[in-house]
Amino acid sequence: MHALPAHALPARAPRPSAPRGLAAIEALFELPFNDLLLRAQEVHREFHRPNTVQLSTLLSIKTGGCPEDCGYCPQAARYHTGVANEALLDLDDVLAAARSAKASGASRFCMGAAWRGPKDRDLAPVLDMVRAVKGLGLETCCTLGMLKDGQAQALKAAGLDYYNHNLDTASDYYGAIVSTRGYEDRLDTLARVRAAGIAVCCGGIVGMGETRRQRAALIAELASLDPQPESVPINHLVQVEGTPLHAQLHGETALDPLEFVRTVAVARIAMPRAMIRLSAGRRELGEPVQALCYFAGANSVFHGERLLTTGNPDVDDDRMLFAKLGLEPA
Ligand code: SAM
Ligand code: DTB
Ligand code: SF4
C-alpha cells in the first residue's frame, strides 16, 4: 500500500495554543471556577506527570540590610521588621544546610541574598557555594538581585542551573510597590540569565492590593517571555509587620483564597510546560486551599521550615499532606 501524501492525511484538530495576550488571560480569570480548574488540570496532565511534586529548599545566605524599598519585603533596611543585617554565610554552613535539604527530599537548593545585586567581590564566595552544592548532586538556584555583564556567565560556569528573579506584579503596578528600580531592570537581568544559558525562574506575588486585571497582566508578562520561564513561583504576600504592605492591607483588602487558586490555574494554562511553584504563604493558605492549588496545576513547592526569613509548613506536615493527596515528591 502506498503512503498517502501528507496533504491527504486526515486533518487533526489543531490544539489551541496557550493563551498569552492580556485579553485572553483576563477571559480565563472570568471563567466559572470549575471550568477554569478543569481546563488547568487537562493542560497539566498533557504536559506533566499528574501526581508528582518537585521540592526545592531555600536558604538565606545573606539576610537583611537591603538598600531597596520593595514594599512587601521584611529584608529592606529602611523598614523596622526585626530582621537584622547579617554577614554572608560561610561555605560550611551553606553546605550543611544543603546536605540536610537533600536528606529531607529536596532536589534543588536555592540560595537567596538580600542585595540590590551582587558586587563582584560578593560574587566570588557565592560561586564557591554553587560549585560545592552542585557537587552534592543537587540542582542549584540563586536569587541575588540584578546581575551585571559577566555575572550570569560566571554563575553558569560555576554550575548554576536556575536563577530566580521575579517580575512580582504588573508593570503598571510595579511603581506603587518598588521605587528603587524599574520593571525594565528586571527584564534586563532576565535577558542576561537567559543569554548565559541558565534556566529562568520568574514569577510574582499575589495579594498586594492589585486588581484582577493586574494579576492577569503579570501572568501575560510572564507568558510573553520567550522562551517562557522554566519555573514560575506564585507567592501569596506574607504580610510582615513593619513593611508598608502590612500597614495597608487588612480585612476587606485581603485577597480571597479562591482568587489565589484562580491565579495558579491561569498560570498553568498560560505556561503549560513550566513548573508552577506554590511559594510563599503556604502555611497561611492551609491544607484545603493548597490541595486546590495542586489540582489547579501547581507542581512544585519550597520545602523546609523556613522560606528566607518567614515560616513555611513543617517538613512533616508537608509529608502528611502529600500522602493524603497521593502526591509523590519527584
Ligand atoms: N534581593 C533579590 C531580589 O529581590 O530579586 C532576591 C531575594 S527577594 C527576597 C526574592 C523574592 O522574594 C522577591 O522577588 C519576592 O517575590 C519574594 N518575597 C519577598 N518578600 C515577600 C513577602 N513578604 N511575601 C511574598 N513574597 C515575598
Ligand atoms: C520566590 O519567588 N519566593 C521565595 C524565593 N523566590 C526566593 C522567597 C519568598 C520570601 C518570603 C519572605 C521571606 O521569607 O523573607
Ligand atoms: Fe531587597 Fe530583594 Fe527584599 Fe527587594 S525583595 S528589599 S531587593 S531583598
Side-chain angles (χ1 to χ4, degrees):
M1 196 181 115
H2 297 292
L4 289 169
H7 66 265
L9 290 173
R12 289 180 64 191
R15 254 203 77 76
S17 57
R20 287 189 186 193
L22 178 56
I25 292 191
E26 276 190 283
L28 289 176
F29 269 97
E30 299 300 324
L31 286 173
F33 188 77
N34 288 342
D35 293 356
L36 174 62
L37 260 65
L38 175 64
R39 189 154 159 202
Q41 181 63 207
E42 281 171 353
V43 170
H44 190 61
R45 281 168 188 259
E46 187 176 343
F47 290 90
H48 301 271
R49 284 156 66 198
N51 298 306
T52 60
V53 61
Q54 184 275 331
L55 311 180
S56 294
T57 294
L58 274 171
L59 177 69
S60 182
I61 57 168
K62 161 67 190 85
T63 302
C66 184
E68 301 284 89
D69 71 349
C70 312
Y72 46 78
C73 186
Q75 303 200 69
R78 66 192 72 200
Y79 309 136
H80 301 286
T81 62
V83 174
N85 182 3
E86 292 173 18
L88 187 66
L89 292 186
D90 287 335
L91 179 58
D92 286 348
D93 296 334
V94 174
L95 266 178
R99 281 197 192 95
S100 126
K102 190 176 178 189
S104 294
S107 59
R108 189 177 310 157
F109 191 68
C110 180
M111 293 161 271
W115 287 326
R116 172 177 164 84
K119 303 192 174 67
D120 282 331
R121 68 165 185 274
D122 297 325
L123 198 63
V126 176
L127 298 177
D128 290 339
M129 293 173 191
V130 170
R131 273 187 284 268
V133 171
K134 184 84 178 162
L136 297 178
L138 283 160
E139 287 183 321
T140 53
C141 176
C142 278
T143 182
L144 313 171
M146 293 186 273
L147 297 180
K148 296 190 291 248
D149 275 345
Q151 293 185 323
Q153 288 91 329
L155 285 161
K156 172 74 183 173
L160 190 71
D161 297 306
Y162 288 80
Y163 195 80
N164 167 241
H165 199 66
N166 292 336
L167 288 177
D168 279 323
T169 192
S171 57
D172 68 358
Y173 194 51
Y174 200 72
I177 302 292
V178 185
S179 78
T180 47
R181 55 169 191 265
Y183 219 64
E184 283 304 317
D185 296 320
R186 298 304 270 184
L187 292 168
D188 278 358
T189 290
L190 289 167
R192 286 173 203 265
V193 169
R194 185 55 89 194
I198 300 169
V200 169
C201 172
C202 182
I205 309 178
V206 182
M208 296 197 292
E210 74 285 345
T211 61
R212 176 179 270 187
R213 199 200 61 77
Q214 286 166 330
R215 281 187 282 283
L218 166 67
I219 305 293
E221 282 285 354
L222 295 169
S224 74
L225 295 173
D226 187 15
Q228 292 188 337
E230 282 76 10
S231 168
V232 177
I234 306 289
N235 295 276
H236 191 299
L237 174 71
V238 180
Q239 293 198 30
V240 178
E241 215 172 320
T243 59
L245 289 182
H246 179 261
Q248 282 169 30
L249 296 176
H250 285 298
E252 301 153 22
T253 48
L255 188 78
D256 181 337
L258 297 182
E259 184 69 9
F260 183 81
V261 179
R262 276 184 187 273
T263 309
V264 170
V266 172
R268 162 50 67 228
I269 295 167
M271 292 170 278
R273 291 180 194 280
M275 300 295 286
I276 304 291
R277 188 176 303 277
L278 182 54
S279 300
R282 248 175 357 104
R283 212 170 53 174
E284 295 74 9
L285 289 174
E287 288 197 343
V289 178
Q290 285 186 69
L292 279 173
C293 290
Y294 296 125
F295 186 73
N299 58 350
S300 52
V301 292
F302 289 118
H303 191 56
E305 59 265 22
R306 238 165 186 252
L307 291 161
L308 292 172
T309 64
T310 64
N312 199 38
D314 289 343
V315 165
D316 288 342
D317 291 345
D318 268 352
R319 286 208 187 105
M320 273 190 298
L321 179 58
F322 298 156
K324 275 197 240 181
L325 300 177
L327 284 175
E328 297 266 350

